[in-house]
Amino acid sequence: MAEVTFYFNVKNREQALAQLVGKAVAQKCAVSVLTASEAEVAHLDRLLWDTPQTGFLPHCRAGDDIAAQTPVVLDCRAELLSPRQVLFNWTGDVISAVAEHDRIIEIVPQDEEQRLAARERWRGWQALGLKPVAIDMLELARQRSGGEAA
Protein backbone atom coordinates (compact mmCIF):
# COMPACT_ATOMS: atom_id res chain seq x y z
CA MET A 1 0.00 0.00 0.00
CA ALA A 2 1.30 3.44 -0.92
CA GLU A 3 2.57 5.94 1.58
CA VAL A 4 1.13 9.44 1.02
CA THR A 5 3.12 12.46 2.20
CA PHE A 6 1.87 16.05 2.15
CA TYR A 7 4.60 18.69 2.23
CA PHE A 8 2.73 21.82 3.30
CA ASN A 9 3.57 25.47 3.99
CA VAL A 10 5.71 25.43 0.85
CA LYS A 11 6.82 28.90 -0.24
CA ASN A 12 7.44 27.98 -3.91
CA ARG A 13 5.69 24.84 -5.14
CA GLU A 14 7.74 24.44 -8.32
CA GLN A 15 11.03 24.93 -6.52
CA ALA A 16 9.98 22.37 -3.91
CA LEU A 17 9.06 19.90 -6.67
CA ALA A 18 12.45 20.30 -8.34
CA GLN A 19 14.28 19.90 -5.01
CA LEU A 20 12.29 16.84 -3.93
CA VAL A 21 12.56 15.19 -7.35
CA GLY A 22 16.31 15.86 -7.28
CA LYS A 23 16.58 14.33 -3.82
CA ALA A 24 14.65 11.23 -4.92
CA VAL A 25 16.82 10.82 -8.03
CA ALA A 26 19.98 11.20 -5.89
CA GLN A 27 18.64 8.34 -3.76
CA LYS A 28 18.28 6.25 -6.95
CA CYS A 29 14.48 6.28 -6.83
CA ALA A 30 12.37 5.96 -9.96
CA VAL A 31 10.04 8.97 -10.06
CA SER A 32 6.81 9.87 -11.85
CA VAL A 33 5.19 13.29 -11.97
CA LEU A 34 1.50 13.27 -12.87
CA THR A 35 0.04 16.58 -14.04
CA ALA A 36 -3.49 17.66 -14.92
CA SER A 37 -2.69 18.85 -18.45
CA GLU A 38 -0.25 18.70 -21.33
CA ALA A 39 0.56 22.37 -20.72
CA GLU A 40 1.70 21.53 -17.18
CA VAL A 41 3.83 18.65 -18.51
CA ALA A 42 5.53 21.08 -20.89
CA HIS A 43 6.06 23.63 -18.12
CA LEU A 44 7.56 21.06 -15.71
CA ASP A 45 9.66 19.62 -18.54
CA ARG A 46 11.29 23.05 -18.89
CA LEU A 47 11.68 23.38 -15.12
CA LEU A 48 13.50 20.05 -14.85
CA TRP A 49 15.82 21.01 -17.73
CA ASP A 50 16.78 24.16 -15.83
CA THR A 51 17.10 22.62 -12.38
CA PRO A 52 19.55 22.40 -10.80
CA GLN A 53 21.30 25.42 -12.33
CA THR A 54 24.46 23.41 -12.97
CA GLY A 55 22.69 20.53 -14.69
CA PHE A 56 19.29 18.98 -15.20
CA LEU A 57 17.15 16.15 -13.88
CA PRO A 58 16.98 13.37 -16.50
CA HIS A 59 13.36 12.94 -17.52
CA CYS A 60 11.04 12.04 -20.37
CA ARG A 61 7.36 11.47 -21.17
CA ALA A 62 5.62 8.22 -20.25
CA GLY A 63 5.15 7.27 -23.91
CA ASP A 64 8.84 7.63 -24.79
CA ASP A 65 10.80 4.49 -25.65
CA ILE A 66 13.33 5.25 -22.90
CA ALA A 67 10.75 5.80 -20.12
CA ALA A 68 11.56 2.54 -18.32
CA GLN A 69 15.25 3.51 -18.07
CA THR A 70 14.75 7.20 -17.26
CA PRO A 71 14.81 8.31 -13.60
CA VAL A 72 11.91 10.77 -13.97
CA VAL A 73 8.79 10.33 -16.09
CA LEU A 74 6.34 13.22 -16.63
CA ASP A 75 2.84 12.82 -18.00
CA CYS A 76 -0.77 13.92 -17.66
CA ARG A 77 -2.15 10.46 -18.46
CA ALA A 78 -2.20 8.34 -15.27
CA GLU A 79 -2.88 5.17 -17.26
CA LEU A 80 0.52 5.46 -18.97
CA LEU A 81 2.51 5.74 -15.74
CA SER A 82 3.96 2.44 -14.62
CA PRO A 83 4.21 2.01 -10.85
CA ARG A 84 7.42 3.57 -9.56
CA GLN A 85 8.91 4.24 -6.17
CA VAL A 86 7.76 7.86 -5.98
CA LEU A 87 4.88 9.69 -7.63
CA PHE A 88 4.43 13.45 -7.35
CA ASN A 89 0.73 14.24 -7.70
CA TRP A 90 0.55 17.60 -9.50
CA THR A 91 -3.08 17.15 -10.58
CA GLY A 92 -5.04 18.62 -7.68
CA ASP A 93 -7.11 15.43 -7.53
CA VAL A 94 -6.94 12.03 -5.87
CA ILE A 95 -6.20 9.51 -8.63
CA SER A 96 -6.94 5.99 -7.41
CA ALA A 97 -4.84 4.44 -10.21
CA VAL A 98 -1.65 5.95 -8.78
CA ALA A 99 -2.01 4.18 -5.43
CA GLU A 100 0.17 1.41 -6.92
CA HIS A 101 3.26 3.58 -6.46
CA ASP A 102 5.31 3.05 -3.29
CA ARG A 103 5.07 6.68 -2.26
CA ILE A 104 2.80 9.52 -3.35
CA ILE A 105 3.86 13.09 -2.65
CA GLU A 106 1.61 16.14 -2.54
CA ILE A 107 3.20 19.61 -2.41
CA VAL A 108 0.97 22.25 -0.85
CA PRO A 109 1.79 25.97 -1.04
CA GLN A 110 0.84 28.50 1.62
CA ASP A 111 -2.07 29.80 -0.49
CA GLU A 112 -5.30 29.27 1.50
CA GLU A 113 -7.33 28.09 -1.51
CA GLN A 114 -4.74 25.42 -2.31
CA ARG A 115 -4.53 24.42 1.35
CA LEU A 116 -8.29 23.83 1.41
CA ALA A 117 -8.06 21.76 -1.77
CA ALA A 118 -5.23 19.74 -0.20
CA ARG A 119 -7.42 18.98 2.81
CA GLU A 120 -10.00 17.51 0.42
CA ARG A 121 -7.28 15.37 -1.20
CA TRP A 122 -6.15 14.26 2.27
CA ARG A 123 -9.67 12.98 2.94
CA GLY A 124 -9.76 11.41 -0.52
CA TRP A 125 -6.56 9.44 0.13
CA GLN A 126 -8.01 8.33 3.46
CA ALA A 127 -11.17 7.15 1.67
CA LEU A 128 -8.90 4.90 -0.43
CA GLY A 129 -7.59 3.33 2.78
CA LEU A 130 -4.31 5.25 2.84
CA LYS A 131 -2.96 7.16 5.85
CA PRO A 132 -1.39 10.45 4.77
CA VAL A 133 1.49 11.99 6.70
CA ALA A 134 2.07 15.76 6.94
CA ILE A 135 5.44 17.51 6.87
CA ASP A 136 5.48 21.23 7.69
CA MET A 137 8.17 22.85 5.53
CA LEU A 138 8.18 26.06 7.59
CA GLU A 139 8.89 24.05 10.72
CA LEU A 140 11.68 22.16 8.96
CA ALA A 141 13.19 25.46 7.82
CA ARG A 142 13.04 26.79 11.40
CA GLN A 143 14.75 23.67 12.73
CA ARG A 144 17.50 23.93 10.13
CA SER A 145 18.09 27.59 10.91
CA GLY A 146 18.39 27.01 14.65
CA GLY A 147 14.83 27.84 15.63
CA GLU A 148 14.44 31.18 13.88
CA ALA A 149 11.55 31.78 11.52
CA ALA A 150 12.37 31.10 7.89
Side-chain angles (χ1 to χ4, degrees):
M1 184 158 298
E3 172 186 315
V4 180
T5 304
F6 279 74
Y7 288 90
F8 69 99
N9 277 330
V10 172
K11 289 184 180 182
N12 182 315
R13 191 170 182 238
E14 291 174 349
Q15 182 181 17
L17 175 73
Q19 289 174 341
L20 291 168
V21 167
K23 183 177 176 181
V25 168
Q27 295 172 350
K28 307 283 189 229
C29 292
V31 175
S32 292
V33 180
L34 178 62
T35 70
S37 69
E38 185 60 40
E40 286 180 328
V41 171
H43 178 73
L44 294 179
D45 176 51
R46 184 79 247 154
L47 175 74
L48 296 180
W49 273 106
D50 294 339
T51 306
Q53 290 180 349
T54 58
F56 75 103
L57 292 166
H59 62 280
C60 68
R61 309 285 174 108
D64 291 351
D65 291 338
I66 60 169
Q69 296 81 33
T70 304
V72 181
V73 174
L74 303 171
D75 216 293
C76 59
R77 300 163 294 177
E79 68 277 6
L80 294 184
L81 294 175
S82 299
R84 290 182 150 224
Q85 292 163 303
V86 181
L87 174 110
F88 288 86
N89 184 21
W90 205 255
T91 67
D93 294 315
V94 172
I95 311 292
S96 60
V98 301
E100 298 172 354
H101 290 73
D102 295 342
R103 186 167 185 212
I104 299 165
I105 296 178
E106 298 268 3
I107 301 173
V108 184
Q110 295 171 337
D111 173 75
E112 189 59 29
E113 184 177 319
Q114 293 214 23
R115 289 172 61 100
L116 292 172
R119 289 183 186 127
E120 288 298 316
R121 289 194 309 280
W122 181 287
R123 288 189 281 277
W125 290 118
Q126 287 177 319
L128 290 176
L130 302 173
K131 296 181 181 178
V133 173
I135 297 175
D136 185 340
M137 296 303 284
L138 282 179
E139 182 60 31
L140 278 178
R142 277 193 276 281
Q143 290 172 2
R144 289 183 182 140
S145 68
E148 298 176 23

